[in-house]
Amino acid sequence: MQNDYIAIASLNQYSYCPHRCWRMFCAGEFIDNQYTIEGTSLHERVHTLGDGQREEVWQVRAIWLKSEKYGLIGKSDLVEESQGCWYPVEYKRGHKGEFDNDELQVAAQALCLEDMTGKTVSKGYVYYAKSRQRQEVKITGQLREEAIATIQSVTTLLETGKMPLPIYSKRCQGCSFYSQCLPQVGTKINRYQEAN
């Protein structure tokens, strides 16, 4: 039995940027920007504890998901059950992006639901508030493997505490840590040294 659990959200952050994950879950840092504030506001509305019936679907909000098998824990935005099938629904502030970190978070929630219910979870959803649409996430074998590999990567990060170097990509443009990690500095310094 595992005593230390990793946060489901840390998989999303690690997949987005290992350096960002390190800052949040090892260094305990967090910086707000317009995107994080919008996300926090959305989750405050969504995380009103409760359950209810919507047509043939039973819904429960803001419940904790946990997996002994994978050492995961986290609060879900919404879990639905219909005809004996369970699926997680993750809420995000924007619209469908070009990165797959949201799908990875849904897969991690599915792993927890499977461990808690003993039933296979074949799909989940990401609800994007800006477009007001759900995006189906198929919990494929490949996505499961990616989630399990990311769990191991995050576990190693937390155990070693070793800071991954920031690497500049398009993802950096909306990141609240951009002005702290300065991912383009190393490249600019190397260019300057080569020019001398």
Side-chain angles (χ1 to χ4, degrees):
M1 184 166 137
Q2 187 170 342
N3 293 324
D4 297 321
Y5 292 89
I6 65 171
I8 292 171
S10 68
L11 276 70
N12 186 315
Q13 298 301 332
Y14 187 91
S15 176
Y16 191 80
C17 172
H19 182 79
R20 179 179 174 83
C21 184
W22 178 85
R23 284 186 173 270
M24 292 176 72
F25 293 94
C26 290
E29 298 175 13
F30 188 79
I31 297 172
D32 272 321
N33 66 10
Q34 74 178 64
Y35 305 118
T36 63
I37 291 169
E38 288 173 8
T40 299
S41 176
L42 172 66
H43 282 91
E44 284 174 357
R45 289 192 308 271
V46 170
H47 282 183
T48 304
L49 187 62
D51 65 294
Q53 196 78 18
R54 187 174 181 181
E55 297 175 12
E56 299 298 315
V57 178
W58 180 68
Q59 298 180 320
V60 61
R61 296 184 182 280
I63 63 164
W64 286 93
L65 300 178
K66 179 178 168 184
S67 171
E68 297 281 342
K69 181 177 180 179
Y70 297 106
L72 289 172
I73 194 164
K75 188 182 280 190
S76 69
D77 291 335
L78 176 65
V79 173
E80 296 182 334
E81 185 272 334
S82 177
Q83 299 177 349
C85 296
W86 296 87
Y87 47 94
V89 182
E90 177 64 22
Y91 281 65
K92 296 296 179 187
R93 56 155 287 284
H95 47 78
K96 171 84 172 110
E98 56 192 292
F99 312 117
D100 60 1
N101 51 305
D102 295 339
E103 288 84 354
L104 194 65
Q105 187 172 357
V106 171
Q109 293 174 0
L111 293 175
C112 289
L113 276 172
E114 288 179 345
D115 205 8
M116 293 169 70
T117 65
K119 296 184 175 188
T120 301
V121 176
S122 60
K123 67 179 178 179
Y125 295 93
V126 180
Y127 174 82
Y128 292 100
K130 216 165 232 174
S131 63
R132 296 183 180 170
Q133 293 184 337
R134 281 187 178 193
Q135 178 80 30
E136 184 177 280
V137 177
K138 293 185 189 306
I139 311 298
T140 63
Q142 180 180 345
L143 186 56
R144 286 172 194 280
E145 288 173 18
E146 187 180 343
I148 292 166
T150 306
I151 291 166
Q152 185 54 55
S153 295
V154 172
T155 300
T156 300
L157 180 73
L158 295 174
E159 287 174 353
T160 65
K162 184 177 177 188
M163 180 185 75
L165 293 175
I167 298 170
Y168 182 76
S169 73
K170 285 195 283 185
R171 299 172 187 219
C172 298
Q173 295 168 6
C175 180
S176 61
F177 287 110
Y178 182 78
S179 62
Q180 277 64 41
C181 72
L182 301 171
Q184 293 176 300
V185 169
T187 305
K188 288 180 180 181
I189 289 172
N190 287 340
R191 272 196 225 131
Y192 175 75
Q193 289 172 344
E194 289 170 9
N196 287 336

